[in-house]
Amino acid sequence: MRIVVLAGGIGGARFLRGLKQAAPEADITVIGNTGDDIHLFGLKVCPDLDTVMYTLGGGINEEQGWGRTDESFRVKEELAAYGVGPGWFGLGDRDFATHIVRTQMLAAGYPLSAVTEALCNRWNPGIRLLPMTDDRVETHVAVELDGERKAIHFQEYWVKLRASVPAEAVVPVGAEQAKPAPGVLEAIAAADVILFPPSNPVVSIGTILAVPGIREAIAEAGVPVIGLSPIVGGAPVRGMADKVLAAVGVEATAAAVAAHYGSGLLDGWLVDTVDEEAVAVVEAAGIRCRAVPLLMVDTDTAAEMAHRALELAGEVRA
Amino acid sequence: MRIVVLAGGIGGARFLRGLKQAAPEADITVIGNTGDDIHLFGLKVCPDLDTVMYTLGGGINEEQGWGRTDESFRVKEELAAYGVGPGWFGLGDRDFATHIVRTQMLAAGYPLSAVTEALCNRWNPGIRLLPMTDDRVETHVAVELDGERKAIHFQEYWVKLRASVPAEAVVPVGAEQAKPAPGVLEAIAAADVILFPPSNPVVSIGTILAVPGIREAIAEAGVPVIGLSPIVGGAPVRGMADKVLAAVGVEATAAAVAAHYGSGLLDGWLVDTVDEEAVAVVEAAGIRCRAVPLLMVDTDTAAEMAHRALELAGEVRA
């Protein structure tokens, strides 16, 4: 079975770990979000790709869900001693090495997809990880700060400001001109099932879908497209998805997110058991829906979620 | 008193610490060797400039003479885990930060001299540190390896091979086209005395002198030019200066190194007390010479050496 998964960071990575357990024989291609990529200290940092790579490769800091396990911060401390910031982005020493290798390869002319493959050669994540695009896309968030309306980098909004001010708009700058990375459209066309994990529908999966050609390829693939709600009981399971949902005029409910993707894209949708009442609403919109436990407390629960998603795909196919 | 010092790495840095103690009121400009600069992991590394900066700024690893005190090597370990080398160059985590800041500033368009000034703003070395040039100069060493004659980077010869094969030639690639960095010629022209510390006469001071204009400016400055022998009793005090002296056809003796600089450049030369017999030879060549203790075991002995060099400058001037 060939499975294509659109993934953001922590939620996507943890779901993927469950999926690998639920479908150990499957051939899994992950299309990773690169809209939250950022240049820091002259280095190219790809937080979502790295979170997937570290999580599936056994190098993740399990507690925080991002960054390396057993991490130290000596480089960052020294940069601060030079007065060089930003200090709000937590780059650890071990993590720095990843960005140094990536930046060096990019400077040598390799596209991000080739660099990602090279990095994965070390981590053996057990899936094929493709960036959504080799082109530069940067998600910016329009906010009002100190009485002034300005667009800031998503990481500044998310990590520095902790989404503490309303997001007035979310713009994946560069997406319109971006092309899907080599292999992305081919993987979608060859897929038996396409999954949207409980990643952020706006700044993770939404950004991937903003690359021209990807949404269309998924809609036309002719295979079940199954999503899992990142909203449980009217609030994000983790993160601050509600903050950016508001920016695109979508309510923070499991049913509203399904409607946001739409029946043109989604064939099936899983909501949490606490959102049982959403099932009828979603089905009325033409999307098959089931209520199952959606809290990923460990790999087993993530595997059970993946199992239920694949089960729903089977139902759709039948 | 305005003092200009041409400096390589460890020897130059330790001498400078002594000079600062011997002449606390002096205005000291250091022209640093950049021929041993190397690009590693996409980062610009300037070993000699950093050794001077760290030593005078209190950040040096005292025992080894280069690199940062209280250093760790986590980034390097991770790079090795990615299969990215070289492993033979000991870049520590704290040191990495310096190279990251430097590389970022260079990429932003600042010349090396401006970058060096910015880095020194943190370290307050108490001297003005100028790279010999803002242009790229790389010292290459011609060697025979596995039956093949090839030119390798000086660091590969020095650090990886530990100078274990004969150096057939030493070439400061790019020096001929290089221009002295802003301030270099002006500092030389304004100097009251010019010092050559016991740095390597070929790959440190020799490289600085290879930048067109610097040797001429020193020769024409009309002020005492005093050097200290890096060779004591027929062997380098530290390092492997004899290996590269052979490549330029110079014997590893205190007198031969003085003759290599020549009376057109040098006015005075200090040899160690064990090389007393060299004094007459050097003076016969038209260079005033004194035998004094030249082993820098601590800052006090380095200060005494600096004091004797300034004393000899006074004699020359009178």
Side-chain angles (χ1 to χ4, degrees):
Chain A
M1 183 166 51
R2 285 162 300 195
I3 307 175
V4 166
V5 182
L6 273 52
I10 305 177
R14 289 181 173 169
F15 174 78
L16 281 162
R17 193 156 54 179
L19 178 63
K20 278 175 62 184
Q21 182 175 313
E25 305 299 321
D27 170 352
I28 304 170
T29 296
V30 177
I31 302 172
N33 171 42
T34 59
D36 64 342
D37 291 3
I38 185 167
H39 282 80
L40 293 170
F41 314 110
L43 301 173
K44 170 83 163 177
V45 180
C46 301
D48 279 1
L49 295 181
D50 288 350
T51 294
V52 170
M53 185 172 78
Y54 293 159
T55 301
L56 300 183
I60 200 79
N61 178 322
E62 288 289 346
E63 254 172 74
Q64 68 188 14
W66 52 270
R68 295 290 310 281
T69 184
D70 182 25
E71 189 55 290
S72 50
F73 293 87
R74 306 201 75 199
V75 176
K76 191 186 171 191
E77 284 162 20
E78 285 295 315
L79 290 168
Y82 279 114
V84 171
W88 48 263
F89 202 88
L91 285 186
D93 298 330
R94 305 180 89 183
D95 201 22
F96 255 111
T98 301
H99 313 313
I100 289 171
V101 174
R102 176 186 291 122
T103 305
Q104 189 179 10
M105 286 191 72
L106 289 170
Y110 292 94
L112 183 61
S113 49
V115 174
T116 304
E117 189 181 345
L119 294 172
C120 283
N121 278 342
R122 169 186 174 193
W123 290 103
N124 294 309
I127 52 98
R128 187 161 68 123
L129 178 60
L130 303 175
M132 64 188 200
T133 179
D134 281 335
D135 301 317
R136 184 165 171 174
V137 175
E138 254 184 31
T139 302
H140 286 194
V141 180
V143 292
E144 199 178 301
L145 276 181
D146 310 321
E148 209 181 330
R149 193 160 188 271
K150 56 170 94 176
I152 58 178
H153 191 287
F154 168 70
Q155 297 292 357
E156 189 176 347
Y157 180 71
W158 209 245
V159 179
K160 183 182 178 192
L161 298 180
R162 307 292 308 155
S164 57
V165 294
E168 296 177 5
V170 177
V171 184
V173 179
E176 273 178 43
Q177 291 77 40
K179 287 181 296 296
V184 166
L185 297 183
E186 294 79 353
I188 293 169
D192 297 309
V193 56
I194 298 168
L195 301 179
F196 295 181
S199 289
N200 190 304
V202 181
V203 294
S204 295
I205 296 179
T207 308
I208 301 171
L209 294 171
V211 176
I214 294 185
R215 175 187 289 272
E216 296 74 6
I218 294 172
E220 293 161 13
V223 297
V225 178
I226 310 295
L228 296 93
S229 177
I231 303 289
V232 168
V237 176
R238 65 171 310 289
M240 303 160 285
D242 49 330
K243 307 289 182 179
V244 285
L245 279 167
V248 294
V250 175
E251 249 191 300
T253 68
V257 174
H260 173 62
Y261 286 130
S263 60
L265 197 63
L266 270 189
D267 299 303
W269 187 242
L270 294 181
V271 300
D272 188 76
T273 43
V274 304
D275 295 311
E276 184 74 52
E277 88 293 344
V279 172
V281 183
V282 174
E283 296 225 313
I287 299 167
R288 199 175 289 242
C289 188
R290 295 287 175 273
V292 304
L294 285 191
L295 294 179
M296 290 191 283
V297 296
D298 53 26
T299 303
D300 284 345
T301 48
E304 180 58 22
M305 283 164 57
H307 172 72
R308 300 300 292 262
L310 294 174
E311 200 171 66
L312 185 54
E315 270 187 58
V316 166
R317 198 178 287 113
Chain B
M1 184 165 49
R2 284 160 301 193
I3 306 176
V4 165
V5 182
L6 272 53
I10 305 178
R14 288 181 174 169
F15 174 77
L16 281 163
R17 195 156 53 180
L19 178 63
K20 278 174 63 184
Q21 182 176 314
E25 303 299 320
D27 170 352
I28 303 170
T29 297
V30 178
I31 301 172
N33 171 41
T34 59
D36 65 341
D37 290 4
I38 186 167
H39 282 82
L40 292 170
F41 316 110
L43 301 173
K44 169 85 163 177
V45 180
C46 301
D48 279 1
L49 295 181
D50 288 350
T51 294
V52 170
M53 185 173 78
Y54 293 159
T55 301
L56 300 184
I60 200 78
N61 178 322
E62 287 289 346
E63 256 171 71
Q64 68 187 14
W66 52 269
R68 295 291 310 280
T69 185
D70 183 26
E71 188 55 291
S72 52
F73 293 87
R74 308 201 74 200
V75 175
K76 190 185 172 190
E77 285 162 20
E78 285 296 315
L79 291 168
Y82 278 113
V84 172
W88 49 263
F89 203 90
L91 285 186
D93 298 329
R94 305 180 90 182
D95 201 21
F96 255 111
T98 301
H99 313 313
I100 289 170
V101 174
R102 175 185 292 121
T103 305
Q104 190 178 10
M105 284 191 73
L106 288 170
Y110 292 95
L112 183 61
S113 50
V115 174
T116 304
E117 188 180 346
L119 293 172
C120 284
N121 278 342
R122 169 188 172 190
W123 290 103
N124 294 308
I127 51 96
R128 186 161 67 124
L129 178 60
L130 302 176
M132 63 190 199
T133 178
D134 280 336
D135 300 319
R136 184 165 172 175
V137 175
E138 256 185 30
T139 302
H140 286 196
V141 180
V143 291
E144 199 177 299
L145 275 181
D146 310 322
E148 209 183 330
R149 194 159 188 272
K150 55 170 97 175
I152 59 177
H153 191 287
F154 168 70
Q155 296 293 356
E156 191 176 345
Y157 180 72
W158 209 246
V159 179
K160 185 183 178 191
L161 299 181
R162 306 292 307 156
S164 57
V165 294
E168 298 177 4
V170 177
V171 183
V173 179
E176 274 180 41
Q177 292 77 41
K179 287 181 296 296
V184 166
L185 297 183
E186 293 79 353
I188 293 171
D192 296 309
V193 57
I194 298 169
L195 301 179
F196 294 0
S199 289
N200 190 303
V202 181
V203 295
S204 295
I205 296 180
T207 309
I208 301 171
L209 293 172
V211 176
I214 294 186
R215 175 188 288 272
E216 297 73 6
I218 293 172
E220 293 161 12
V223 296
V225 178
I226 310 294
L228 296 93
S229 177
I231 304 290
V232 167
V237 176
R238 66 170 312 287
M240 304 160 284
D242 49 331
K243 308 289 182 179
V244 286
L245 279 168
V248 295
V250 174
E251 250 191 299
T253 67
V257 173
H260 174 62
Y261 286 131
S263 62
L265 198 63
L266 269 191
D267 298 301
W269 186 242
L270 293 181
V271 300
D272 189 76
T273 44
V274 304
D275 295 312
E276 182 78 47
E277 86 293 346
V279 172
V281 182
V282 174
E283 295 224 316
I287 298 166
R288 200 175 287 243
C289 187
R290 295 287 175 274
V292 304
L294 287 189
L295 294 178
M296 289 191 284
V297 296
D298 53 25
T299 303
D300 284 345
T301 48
E304 181 58 22
M305 284 163 57
H307 173 70
R308 299 301 291 262
L310 294 175
E311 200 170 64
L312 185 54
E315 270 186 57
V316 167
R317 199 178 288 110

